[in-house]
Amino acid sequence: RARHSGPPDGGWGWMIVAGCFLVTICTRAVTRCISIFFVEFQAYFGQDYARTAWIHSIVDCATMLCAPLGSLISNHVSCQVGIMLGGLLASTGLILSSFATSLEHLYLSLGVLTGLGFALCYSPAIAMVGKYFNKRKALAYGIAMSGSGIGTFILAPVVQLLIEQFSWRGALLILGGFVLNLCVCGALMRPISLKEDCKTGPEFLEHDYVPETEKQDLKRMSICSPLIKLWPHECLCYCSWKEYDFLLMPGFMVLAVSVLFMAYGCSPLFVYLVPYALSVGVSHHQAAFLMSILGVIDIIGNVTFGWLTDRRCLKKHRYFCYLFAVGMDGLCCLFLPVLQSFPLLVPFSFTFGYFDGAYVTLIPVMTADVVGTSLLSSALGVVYFLHAIPYLVSPPVAGWLVDTTGSYTASFLLCGFSMIFSSALLCFARLAKKIKRTHLQSLTGNMALKQHIWTNGETAYSVTAELDQKDVEFLAVDTNSFSNR
């Protein structure tokens, strides 16, 4: 395991980016393409929208709900072992799904088992990119996360062709073999040891940010516990029981709440875009092509937004770039119900796909800015965990609204307002923080003006108080009388 004082920003890091790129293809792109099976499952099992939508939502929920488990295995065992194990589980789930005889069978195999496999792969692979890059972090994430768009662009028509040639069972079987490539991705994830997240005990004791009581605890442990002597000197991780302290950070708490609303808004669109297009008279191939367009523009959003936000002029404004991208996706959802033909849906796929790729790229970057690189793996596990409940609930809720109202309008409007609220929440939080900072600066300035030095001839005293004109005159008279004595 290589030891570095900081992220190397290159070298083997580009192989990590390539591995993460393949992971996003095999996880997020495959999950998106499950929506192409939606009509097939509904027709084969004779179920309504809400019950069929549970398949996609359980996959997404399991992927995000178990993200902390993926981070735990990555932190305490190995990122390579976690991703390889996840690849085996996901492939097994897809293969078992090809033999499904009921929706409940698909809930367990395609939903739970495949989702669990994806969870063990997704967040550890993304966290590894953050460990290898710092200066070009947004660009590296843009390239790595573009796998989701490229995979969707390629897999959407391929999956539709596989369904036509081999039925949905054969298509799931072939996808199961394809997902085994996650094991290859895992082999590329060479561990790296950074100075900031893996230090020896004496090095920790020398740092000012370790409280004195905890320094004494470390000394006591090193003296009293014989197990400490068995720990490698190069990797005594003081932060092992502190790795979730970021949960109490105000900045992370605001980000977490906004993620809940953002995740609720973005999930149903990938489930219902193809069924909605079919309902307004678009052909099957054109509907699949809409997903392909969304995927390829997603790539452009990943890479260009990542490159742009690494520029000096925008690097300080990543926060506002993120909330702008989320808000634009929300506006796209609001306009979707009036787009009822293929020529109108194509610009929607362009716009939504671009900004979807933009904010997806910035999620790990913003998380790293809030909690730091050393806690990025654990923080990403929590961030993706927060996606779980919205991903589980939103597609069935949207399906229930479609079944109840007979239209997609209410579902898409709810998604749009949810994403806009997520963006507005971040904007208000930043404005409140700026106002508070300005108030504290003005208060500090006033306190500095109120500080006065006085002396009794031998010792100087510093007094901070608010002096009005009468106090000044009194002190002047008192000082004169003292000097006359």
Side-chain angles (χ1 to χ4, degrees):
R1 178 187 294 231
R3 182 86 179 272
H4 297 269
S5 60
D9 262 291
W12 189 258
W14 293 114
M15 293 302 296
I16 300 297
V17 170
C20 187
F21 175 84
L22 292 173
V23 168
T24 55
I25 290 179
C26 294
T27 55
R28 303 311 299 159
V30 170
T31 301
R32 288 181 178 183
C33 288
I34 291 175
S35 63
I36 299 175
F37 291 90
F38 187 92
V39 176
E40 300 295 328
F41 291 152
Q42 190 180 26
Y44 186 86
F45 296 108
Q47 299 294 337
D48 57 18
Y49 277 84
R51 284 178 59 84
T52 309
W54 277 105
I55 299 171
H56 189 282
S57 61
I58 291 174
V59 176
D60 266 336
C61 178
T63 301
M64 301 308 176
L65 190 67
C66 299
L69 177 61
S71 298
L72 184 67
I73 294 175
S74 173
N75 290 339
H76 297 283
V77 182
S78 168
C79 182
Q80 295 170 316
V81 171
I83 293 177
M84 289 181 178
L85 177 61
L88 291 174
L89 289 175
S91 177
T92 302
L94 285 164
I95 292 172
L96 291 177
S97 298
S98 66
F99 300 100
T101 57
S102 65
L103 281 182
E104 288 73 16
H105 186 160
L106 288 173
Y107 293 162
L108 293 175
S109 57
L110 186 56
V112 176
L113 190 57
T114 301
L116 175 61
F118 288 166
L120 298 184
C121 303
Y122 191 56
S123 58
I126 295 173
M128 284 294 290
V129 176
K131 288 183 176 293
Y132 272 86
F133 288 88
N134 185 23
K135 295 180 181 178
R136 291 175 285 184
K137 183 180 292 184
L139 176 61
Y141 272 126
I143 297 172
M145 305 294 279
S146 67
S148 176
I150 292 176
T152 305
F153 174 71
I154 297 173
L155 287 179
V158 169
V159 167
Q160 183 64 45
L161 183 63
L162 290 175
I163 291 173
E164 293 174 359
Q165 295 294 322
F166 304 106
S167 78
W168 63 267
R169 296 184 184 276
L172 285 175
L173 190 63
I174 294 170
L175 279 179
F178 173 73
V179 166
L180 274 174
N181 284 295
L182 286 168
C183 297
V184 179
C185 302
L188 295 174
M189 299 296 168
R190 179 186 296 172
I192 183 173
S193 178
L194 297 178
K195 187 177 181 180
E196 65 182 72
D197 62 0
C198 192
K199 297 181 179 292
T200 63
E203 288 174 320
F204 271 114
L205 296 176
E206 291 170 3
H207 277 75
D208 294 334
Y209 58 77
V210 181
E212 188 64 32
T213 56
E214 293 176 359
K215 289 181 182 180
Q216 294 174 1
D217 290 341
L218 279 175
K219 291 177 181 178
R220 192 181 304 113
M221 288 168 63
S222 61
I223 295 172
C224 300
S225 175
L227 295 176
I228 300 297
K229 298 178 181 179
L230 302 177
W231 292 356
H233 287 292
E234 65 176 2
C235 195
L236 175 60
C237 292
Y238 164 78
C239 61
S240 60
W241 62 86
K242 292 285 187 179
E243 58 187 8
Y244 289 99
D245 274 359
F246 60 84
L247 291 173
L248 299 178
M249 293 181 182
F252 184 82
M253 293 172 70
V254 172
L255 178 64
V257 174
S258 70
V259 162
L260 291 173
F261 287 95
M262 179 272 294
Y264 182 91
C266 71
S267 181
L269 184 112
F270 293 102
V271 180
Y272 292 109
L273 179 60
V274 171
Y276 171 72
L278 295 175
S279 71
V280 297
V282 176
S283 68
H284 284 269
H285 284 285
Q286 287 178 329
F289 186 61
L290 288 174
M291 288 293 293
S292 295
I293 293 174
L294 194 151
V296 73
I297 300 302
D298 195 295
I299 305 162
I300 298 174
N302 285 141
V303 178
T304 59
F305 229 70
W307 181 82
L308 285 172
T309 52
D310 267 343
R311 300 305 93 197
R312 184 175 297 177
C313 58
L314 287 178
K315 197 165 188 177
K316 296 180 179 179
H317 305 290
R318 286 171 175 170
Y319 189 94
F320 292 102
C321 292
Y322 171 80
L323 65 88
F324 174 75
V326 174
M328 287 300 297
D329 264 1
L331 287 176
C332 289
C333 291
L334 294 182
F335 283 104
L336 184 55
V338 301
L339 308 177
Q340 299 188 358
S341 65
F342 182 72
L344 292 176
L345 288 171
V346 169
F348 166 82
S349 293
F350 271 87
T351 309
F352 187 89
Y354 182 82
F355 288 109
D356 179 74
Y359 77 74
V360 166
T361 295
L362 291 181
I363 287 176
V365 177
M366 286 190 60
T367 306
D369 289 344
V370 172
V371 305
T373 303
S374 61
L375 298 174
L376 180 58
S377 180
S378 299
L380 277 178
V382 174
V383 167
Y384 291 127
F385 170 82
L386 293 171
H387 285 64
I389 301 303
Y391 277 5
L392 178 67
V393 173
S394 58
V397 169
W400 176 79
L401 289 173
V402 173
D403 292 331
T404 304
T405 63
S407 169
Y408 289 87
T409 302
S411 299
F412 292 144
L413 289 179
L414 186 59
C415 293
F417 284 123
S418 180
M419 297 190 79
I420 290 173
F421 179 78
S422 172
S423 178
L425 180 65
L426 289 174
C427 184
F428 289 141
R430 178 52 63 95
L431 290 176
K433 185 177 180 181
K434 186 175 181 179
I435 292 171
K436 183 178 179 181
R437 186 187 299 119
T438 304
H439 177 69
L440 288 176
Q441 287 175 351
S442 64
L443 187 62
T444 304
N446 291 336
M447 292 295 290
L449 291 174
K450 295 170 189 175
Q451 189 174 42
H452 299 270
I453 307 296
W454 66 280
T455 178
N456 64 358
E458 298 179 357
T459 307
Y461 297 91
S462 175
V463 179
T464 301
E466 186 172 1
L467 302 176
D468 56 18
Q469 187 63 29
K470 293 181 180 179
D471 293 329
V472 173
E473 293 174 356
F474 174 77
L475 285 176
V477 172
D478 187 64
T479 303
N480 292 331
S481 62
F482 179 80
S483 60
N484 292 331
R485 294 177 188 176

